[in-house]
Amino acid sequence: MRDYHIHHLKELEQEAIFVMREVAAQFERPVLLFSGGKDSIVMAHVAKKAFHPATIPYPLMHVDTGHNFPEAIEFRDRFVKDLGAELIVASVQESIDKGRVTEETGAYASRNMLQTTTLLDAIEQHKIDAALGGGRRDEEKARAKERFFSHRDEFGQWDPKNQRPELWSLFNGRKKPGEHFRVFPLSNWTEMDVWQYILMEEIDIPKIYFSHKRKVVVRDDMLLAYSDFINLRGDEEIKEMEVRCRTVGDMTCTGVVESKADSLEDIVAEIAASRVTERGGRADDKRSDTAMEDRKKEGYF
């Protein structure tokens, strides 16, 4: 890797470390949102560096839809154990069982939208005042409006027109009772930065990010990993292809890409040549032109 790439990545790392230390200084009950995906893995890796030789001073929390890639859940549990951190699991299934949310039906049914209620309930239950997420401004147009410290009102809602200025890297974490913040230490990173950092730091990631054979369903110009959670339409067929995950989430709406990239170097080269964003394969973002922003206003990540 070239020296200027390393210098750039080290600058991003130091920026993220500064943000994470600010969270530890300004908030009483923060959590680090962790899904077992590449962004949350990088965030946890940076957090470990930020507080070394002490342990990370806040627990990790996963909003579990129950429809996750099994490989991601296996990795999550192993990673957290090796990290020596506390893991809080907020279950969408429990939200359904309690009647807090209603399971969707039909071919496009997904639990992804249901995560918002589960997350907000967990924030209230554990009295969380800041939740660190792996969101990046390059992911999607609504993400691009975010500050590092994203204020949420007493209902957990986000108002993009009512965010605090962050001049000279000064972060205002003041809040009223019941309010909280979402914090995004990787805001200025790109997908390429994330992969090059993983390569530079030799970070372990779930094997589904590498090329492998998997049964898939072609739906609306996307490849969905087939599972028992997918409701097939009458004209859809299951086929086996050589694919990999570019982003990891609920299996019902997270697309995979046809790929032969079986190493980190291959993934970096593939991303460099790609003309489709990583969220271009997310069915949940295609429900409307403002799908992400609407969910964020309701309390989504």
Side-chain angles (χ1 to χ4, degrees), residues 119-262:
L119 172 61
L120 293 177
D121 286 350
I123 286 173
E124 182 177 2
Q125 176 187 348
H126 297 282
K127 296 181 172 57
I128 295 165
D129 53 4
L132 292 90
R136 309 185 322 268
R137 294 188 181 120
D138 76 316
E139 285 184 272
E140 201 271 345
K141 55 190 176 184
R143 300 276 201 207
K145 299 179 182 180
E146 282 286 16
R147 304 287 199 270
F148 280 101
F149 277 32
S150 179
H151 175 263
R152 304 299 171 103
D153 65 20
E154 64 271 25
F155 302 106
Q157 296 178 331
W158 173 67
D159 181 359
K161 298 179 181 179
N162 190 31
Q163 298 298 311
R164 285 92 182 271
E166 294 179 340
L167 305 175
W168 307 293
S169 297
L170 296 176
F171 302 120
N172 180 358
R174 288 180 293 179
K175 59 182 179 56
K176 298 176 183 178
E179 298 178 344
H180 71 276
F181 279 80
R182 308 289 171 82
V183 181
F184 302 101
L186 307 185
S187 287
N188 288 331
W189 297 50
T190 66
E191 183 186 10
M192 178 62 82
D193 293 330
V194 169
W195 282 115
Q196 289 184 329
Y197 185 79
I198 290 171
L199 175 62
M200 181 181 75
E201 295 285 297
E202 299 180 341
I203 300 172
D204 190 23
I205 57 174
K207 58 185 179 181
I208 52 176
Y209 278 115
F210 300 103
S211 179
H212 60 283
K213 288 186 178 179
R214 181 180 288 271
K215 292 180 179 179
V216 300
V217 177
V218 180
R219 176 178 292 177
D220 299 334
D221 299 322
M222 293 186 303
L223 298 177
L224 289 179
Y226 177 71
S227 70
D228 292 339
F229 312 130
I230 300 289
N231 297 322
L232 293 178
R233 299 185 310 209
D235 59 338
E236 292 178 330
E237 296 181 358
I238 302 170
K239 59 176 67 176
E240 188 173 77
M241 298 177 64
E242 197 168 354
V243 299
R244 72 174 190 87
C245 289
R246 195 168 163 187
T247 179
V248 172
D250 190 286
M251 292 186 73
T252 58
C253 60
T254 304
V256 295
V257 295
E258 193 169 6
S259 172
K260 295 186 180 298
D262 58 3

Side-chain angles (χ1 to χ4, degrees), residues 110 112-113 115 222 253-254 279 281-288 291-292 295 300:
S110 172
N112 207 54
M113 298 281 288
Q115 291 181 92
M222 293 186 303
C253 60
T254 304
R279 294 196 70 93
R282 291 293 296 260
D284 49 332
D285 287 351
K286 299 179 183 296
R287 293 193 174 198
S288 74
M292 173 64 79
R295 280 179 288 154
Y300 188 68

